[in-house]
Amino acid sequence: MTYTVAVRELCEFTAKQGDLDLRFTPAPTALEGMAGHAVAASRRGAGYRAEVALSGSYQTLRVRGRADGYDPAQQRIDEVKTFKGRLDRQPASHRHLHWAQAKVYGWLLCEQEQLAHIDVALVYLDVGTQQETVFTEHCSADDLRQHFETQCQRFIAWAEQQLAHRAARDAALITLAFPFGGFRTGQRPLAEAVYKAAVAGRCLLAQAPTGIGKTMGTLFPLLKAAPAQRIDKVFFLAAKTSGRQMALDALARLSNNAPALPLRVLELVARDKACEHPDKACHGESCPLARGFYDRLPAARAAAVAPASADKPALVLQQARVRDVALQHDVCPYYLSQELARWADVVVGDYNYYFDLGGLLHGLAQANQWRTALLVDEAHNLVERGRKMFTAELHPAALAQARSSPTAAQHAPVKKALDKVRRAWVALDKAHPAPYTVLETFPDKLLAALQQCTTTLTEHFTDHPTEPDGALQTFYFDALHLQRMADLLDAHSMVDITQASAAHHQRSSKPGDSVVCIRNVGPAPFLQPRLQAAHTSTLFSATLQPARYYADLLGLPDDHAWVDVESPFAAHQLQVQVARHISTRYPHRAASLAPIAALMAQQFRERPGNYLAFFSSYDYLQQAAALFAQQHPEVPHWCQSRRMLEGEQRDFVARFTDSSQGIAFAVLGGAFAEGIDLPGKRLIGAFLATLGLPQVNPVNEQIRERMQALFGAGYDYTYLYPGLQKVVQAAGRVIRTPSDEGVVHLMDDRFAQAQVRALLPAWWQVD
């Protein structure tokens, strides 16, 4: 068997050395990089060949890639690197890696063209000034061949280990059995649809009810399909920690049920949860776990992927396990986990690891030409999460804190750059004093000030690596993200300015206090290329109705498949009642409190037990809870509060037991409206005192207009569909197993409308 590796991947494995060093940042965006490469190629002679495909072999190793350019007249091969900032501050380890890549390409070209020697050039192009700095070495083919073989020799033992692992993994997956006695009702059709989508190389949108085991029902068929479909990696992407944990539990169950299955599973977590030294910068002069990182990485990597025993080769590398290995080898746990993503079979992580503009998993998949399969858990969340990924905001407090930071006080260039941003911001607010303004384009003067400021800050951070400044870094990264989104501005997003006092419908008395935003309203143009890059993808949830809405906003391919799995639950298990005498519209809130309290008390008297009551806001919740406590003090109740910590959330859920009774008040769309599992007597009913419709405000009205222009369904796409999705998710907490029984009270007369009823689950029998 032959192991194929990209030139970049080969050299990153063999030629990285010394410290982990993230100071030479920010890297240009992908668009800036492509534009820079095009600029460099356009300056070369007429016979210049750009993007030269090359490949070569060494024993069982095949190395392939694309050289940036070759000039036959000068017999010179170019490795083009775009950058921002000052090149003289580039860490030596970066330059060493670039030379390693360039010389591998040099040998592959010498072999292909039968050349005895060649000039190898590193071309550094500053994306800001468009100036090139070129370093050239004249190399003989024999020297380049020796360099190539040295890199291959360092990699080949690992490659052969990977080939053996892949062969054993695929052989085990072919015979893998479902880990339970049989499929649950609805689970088999879901699994069949996922398997067929993998075989056809298609995207699948799957609506499947809560309680059928969607996580196992999607993971198992995809793993079964992996050998025949030559799938390299499965990425399980979740919106919340609970979703990740369910996937890890399912994979652990598969591994325990098939002890000989050599499956490597890796959990990726956020940097702030994995960092051991949050007060230090990510380079060797500041953080001890960054110092010598690449020198100690090989041993840490080998230890991490070594199975616990020969008879149980499966690995579930949850963050705690990665941390233990990292600290044993004195390397950073967060960056070790990123390195391990190259060698895992299944990676479990947040949406952003694949869909974000700088998503690690997508970048690795593209660089290594992996054949990937995606599972997107609770995919209804991807609409709002996608919008947030591609939205950029500047808050006046962030700039104020940066300007008052010790760094700004001590370093005049930093202070001057920040002050220029402030002046441009003030001028913008003076030109647009209305409480809320939508602009056609991003303001040129503010953008120019931000670009100059980030360049200055980049130089400062590079010059002062041991002086971390949290406030300055926060503003810096906000500004970088906004610049990137400004470069990508199109019909999918809008530019708006919200004055500080807009909530009170007054004009701001202090120009420069507005929030400046590039607001994404349609994430499809960003998500679609990521979905297309995968061999197959399945986006699944209990609430994906109507399917057209999700297909439009998530950018699903036109040929995507759709499956609506029949519910295993019967109508008699859930009484769904509409309180037509109640209106929860904003003008009627005060009048609704007494009938809501009365209805809840009546239901509790008829059937004591645990209930969840959902409201549209904390204020509404508190008013209802106060009145309920006053009128019915005999009924236990507890309330969700603003900004609950994880421990407080656990305590809130822990009060639901098989023997407890009471009503918990919660906010629709919050932590307790989805992702919690309270089967049996732990929860026997829910009250929904809202349709979940987003607030009518200037921002949402602008979104409605944009949705109308893009899809012809502005109100539905902005208000109705997102609202009812939250209602159905919250109500889904009540029936979790085939033996559960409960009641749901929909407390608003609008639930009786045909348009609203059509968006409720088909198996509900609404009274």
Side-chain angles (χ1 to χ4, degrees), residues 218-517:
T218 53
L219 275 167
F220 175 75
L222 204 50
L223 290 171
K224 288 291 289 182
Q229 300 308 312
R230 307 188 313 283
I231 292 171
D232 298 305
K233 311 281 181 184
V234 173
F235 298 151
F236 188 102
L237 308 169
K240 298 181 179 179
T241 303
S242 57
R244 292 204 311 269
Q245 191 57 52
M246 289 177 70
L248 293 166
D249 291 345
L251 290 159
R253 178 66 182 253
L254 278 171
S255 299
N256 292 335
N257 196 64
L261 174 63
L263 193 69
R264 293 176 183 164
V265 177
L266 173 69
E267 178 190 21
L268 292 177
V269 301
R271 180 171 169 175
D272 60 353
K273 292 186 178 180
C275 181
E276 293 291 314
H277 299 285
D279 59 325
K280 295 179 172 61
C282 294
H283 55 78
E285 293 178 35
S286 177
C287 179
L289 298 181
R291 191 176 306 124
F293 176 88
Y294 290 109
D295 300 331
R296 294 191 293 274
L297 175 62
R301 179 171 51 210
V305 301
S309 61
D311 59 343
K312 192 174 181 183
L315 280 173
V316 180
L317 291 165
Q318 290 186 249
Q319 188 56 33
R321 166 79 185 273
V322 174
R323 180 178 183 269
D324 288 345
V325 172
L327 297 184
Q328 287 168 14
H329 292 82
D330 292 324
V331 297
C332 171
Y334 178 69
Y335 286 101
L336 175 61
S337 68
Q338 296 207 351
E339 291 289 336
L340 293 175
R342 305 170 189 271
W343 315 110
D345 302 303
V346 183
V347 182
V348 179
D350 189 88
Y351 291 162
N352 68 287
Y353 274 108
Y354 187 81
F355 290 112
D356 190 82
L357 286 174
L360 168 76
L361 296 178
H362 176 261
L364 287 174
Q366 294 300 103
N368 295 287
Q369 299 178 17
W370 289 335
R371 198 171 171 91
T372 60
L374 307 181
L375 290 175
V376 182
D377 179 42
E378 300 291 0
H380 62 275
N381 286 305
L382 188 54
V383 173
E384 195 57 33
R385 282 289 303 277
R387 284 173 167 165
K388 288 181 179 178
M389 283 182 210
F390 310 118
T391 290
E393 290 183 327
L394 280 184
H395 290 267
L399 177 59
Q401 290 166 8
R403 293 175 70 220
S404 61
S405 68
T407 301
Q410 297 167 14
H411 299 276
V414 171
K415 180 73 162 59
K416 182 179 178 182
L418 292 168
D419 286 347
K420 185 173 182 179
V421 173
R422 173 68 181 170
R423 289 194 298 273
W425 202 330
V426 169
L428 177 66
D429 281 0
K430 287 180 177 178
H432 302 284
Y436 181 74
T437 306
V438 176
L439 304 178
E440 290 293 323
T441 60
F442 196 84
D444 290 340
K445 290 183 179 179
L446 180 57
L447 184 60
L450 287 167
Q451 289 170 336
Q452 181 178 333
C453 185
T454 53
T455 298
T456 299
L457 292 180
T458 298
E459 294 176 357
H460 171 81
F461 291 139
T462 307
D463 282 345
H464 303 85
T466 59
E467 299 177 16
D469 188 321
L472 202 61
Q473 289 177 346
T474 296
F475 177 76
Y476 175 64
F477 289 121
D478 287 348
L480 287 175
H481 184 48
L482 189 137
Q483 288 171 229
R484 178 173 293 190
M485 297 319 302
D487 290 341
L488 300 171
L489 190 62
D490 209 330
H492 49 66
S493 301
M494 61 190 191
V495 180
D496 61 31
I497 308 169
T498 306
Q499 298 297 341
S501 55
H504 305 291
H505 307 288
Q506 299 170 354
R507 291 192 174 189
S508 173
S509 58
K510 291 179 62 180
D513 280 358
S514 65
V515 175
V516 181
C517 181

Side-chain angles (χ1 to χ4, degrees), residues 608-688:
N610 291 319
Y611 294 85
L612 266 167
F614 292 100
F615 295 82
S616 56
S617 68
Y618 284 103
D619 289 342
Y620 196 16
L621 177 158
Q622 290 165 353
Q623 293 169 21
L627 182 64
F628 186 83
Q630 177 187 337
Q631 296 184 346
H632 306 283
E634 74 284 359
V635 180
H637 81 283
W638 59 102
C639 297
Q640 179 181 0
S641 60
R642 286 184 171 89
R643 294 177 289 278
M644 288 179 98
L645 301 175
E646 286 189 16
E648 294 172 319
Q649 293 180 14
R650 286 194 296 270
D651 292 342
F652 184 96
V653 174
R655 294 190 62 169
F656 294 87
T657 70
D658 288 337
S659 58
S660 64
Q661 295 181 358
I663 299 177
F665 289 70
V667 173
L668 189 70
F672 309 111
E674 61 176 279
I676 62 168
D677 201 20
L678 300 169
K681 293 182 180 179
R682 294 185 66 191
L683 184 69
I684 64 169
F687 304 96
L688 279 300

